[in-house]
Amino acid sequence: MAATRLELNLIRLLSRCEALAAERRDPEEWRLEKYVAALEDMLRELKKQSGKPAPELLNEYSRKVDFLKGLLEAEKLSSSTEKALANQFLAPGRTPTTTKERTPATKTVHLQTKARCTGKMRSELLGTVCFGAAASLLLVQIPICFPLCSCRGLAPDEKQSAVELDAVLQHHQDMQEKLAEEMLSLARSLKNTTLAAQNVIKQDNQTLSHSLRMADQNFEKLKDESDRLEQHAKKSVNWLLWIMLVVVCFIFISMILFIRIFPKLR
């Protein structure tokens, strides 16, 4: 199926955004943010069209747009540690945007961004180590020239900076493990709550079934009693009718006998 004009425009703008994201930008650069907002609008319009692309291709477009949007949000964070942590959760595209690309541009941008954040974290840690060494030496009244020279690239400082970087990474790993444990505990509590609710619902269903059975039994008993009452009413009506017939016959015969016994006076 041939690509529509909107899809072609989306691909061109997406390729341009990936190129901008790969470059080093000024903090006041505004074009990428506007382009990503336009990409979101175009993607929404593309999903509404009747001749839209395959679902896999739409998911890939959405994945790349979400990656660029998350990249912009990560750049707005204050510390490099937060930026590095936010970049770890970004998911780049899986396929190249254009035929000229061998590897997805978003994946390259992701690797570059992670490298920049790691470099900034390393620089901050090195600066912190040097500042701490200088302050400690000032406290013991040692000349400043020695710590400044020792912070410029000697092996102990590099080892200490690596240890500090490992400590930061270990801290983030511990935070992730703690979050995972909290999620597991929440999942367990949700499972227990679900099981308790399921047991309550099961008991309610059993009570309702018992009530329905009792209602059916009472209805059958009431029906039997109604039939018996109806039969009893019919029997009483039949006896009354026979009694009335017997009384009428008796009165008729009595009148005839009375007429025969007492003749008419002349």
Side-chain angles (χ1 to χ4, degrees):
M1 185 177 181
T4 60
R5 186 179 183 85
L6 181 60
E7 186 178 359
L8 293 175
N9 293 333
L10 176 67
I11 293 173
R12 293 193 188 100
L13 186 57
L14 185 58
S15 178
R16 177 59 179 163
C17 289
E18 291 171 351
L20 284 175
E23 299 174 356
R24 288 185 176 272
R25 301 182 307 279
D26 295 331
E28 298 179 356
E29 178 65 37
W30 55 269
R31 290 181 298 170
L32 183 58
E33 189 172 357
K34 297 295 183 182
Y35 289 169
V36 172
L39 278 175
E40 292 179 345
D41 296 336
M42 294 171 68
L43 185 60
R44 282 194 294 268
E45 293 295 331
L46 186 62
K47 290 180 180 180
K48 293 179 182 178
Q49 285 187 350
S50 57
K52 58 184 179 182
E56 294 82 5
L57 195 56
L58 282 175
N59 292 334
E60 184 66 19
Y61 291 154
S62 302
R63 187 183 182 91
K64 292 179 179 179
V65 173
D66 292 338
F67 170 77
L68 293 173
K69 187 177 178 182
L71 187 65
L72 290 174
E73 292 177 355
E75 289 179 353
K76 294 178 182 179
L77 297 175
S78 57
S79 64
S80 58
T81 305
E82 294 176 352
K83 292 180 181 180
L85 185 61
N87 281 310
Q88 287 181 359
F89 293 101
L90 295 178
R94 299 174 181 173
T95 58
T97 305
T98 59
T99 55
K100 296 180 182 179
E101 300 176 2
R102 293 185 179 180
T103 58
T106 51
K107 186 176 291 186
T108 305
V109 172
H110 192 212
L111 294 175
Q112 291 177 354
T113 308
K114 288 174 68 175
R116 290 172 191 168
C117 294
T118 306
K120 288 182 180 179
M121 289 175 60
R122 189 178 182 86
S123 300
E124 291 178 359
L125 289 172
L126 286 173
T128 305
V129 170
C130 292
F131 180 77
S136 61
L137 290 173
L138 282 173
L139 288 175
V140 295
Q141 296 180 356
I142 296 178
I144 301 175
C145 58
F146 179 74
L148 289 176
C149 294
S150 64
C151 292
R152 288 180 180 176
L154 295 178
D157 289 336
E158 292 181 356
K159 291 181 180 179
Q160 189 172 1
S161 63
V163 170
E164 293 290 337
L165 182 59
D166 292 338
V168 173
L169 295 176
Q170 184 66 32
H171 174 67
H172 288 298
Q173 186 176 0
D174 294 339
M175 289 177 61
Q176 291 178 1
E177 290 177 356
K178 185 177 180 181
L179 289 174
E181 290 177 358
E182 290 179 357
M183 291 177 65
L184 285 174
S185 63
L186 288 175
R188 291 192 190 98
S189 62
L190 181 61
K191 181 180 179 181
N192 294 330
T193 306
T194 305
L195 291 175
Q198 186 178 0
N199 292 330
V200 171
I201 293 172
K202 188 176 180 180
Q203 292 177 1
D204 292 341
N205 289 332
Q206 291 177 356
T207 306
L208 183 61
S209 300
H210 180 69
S211 300
L212 290 175
R213 285 196 299 270
M214 293 296 294
D216 292 337
Q217 293 177 2
N218 293 333
F219 179 75
E220 294 293 334
K221 291 180 179 179
L222 182 61
K223 188 177 179 181
D224 295 338
E225 294 296 330
S226 299
D227 293 339
R228 290 176 59 187
L229 183 61
E230 186 178 358
Q231 293 177 0
H232 182 70
K234 288 180 179 179
K235 289 180 180 179
S236 62
V237 170
N238 291 333
W239 281 107
L240 183 61
L241 181 62
W242 283 108
I243 291 172
M244 290 176 64
L245 287 175
V246 170
V247 170
V248 170
C249 293
F250 178 75
I251 293 172
F252 181 72
I253 294 171
S254 299
M255 289 178 64
I256 293 174
L257 291 175
F258 183 77
I259 294 170
R260 292 289 185 182
I261 294 172
F262 299 99
K264 185 178 180 182
L265 296 175
R266 296 181 180 179

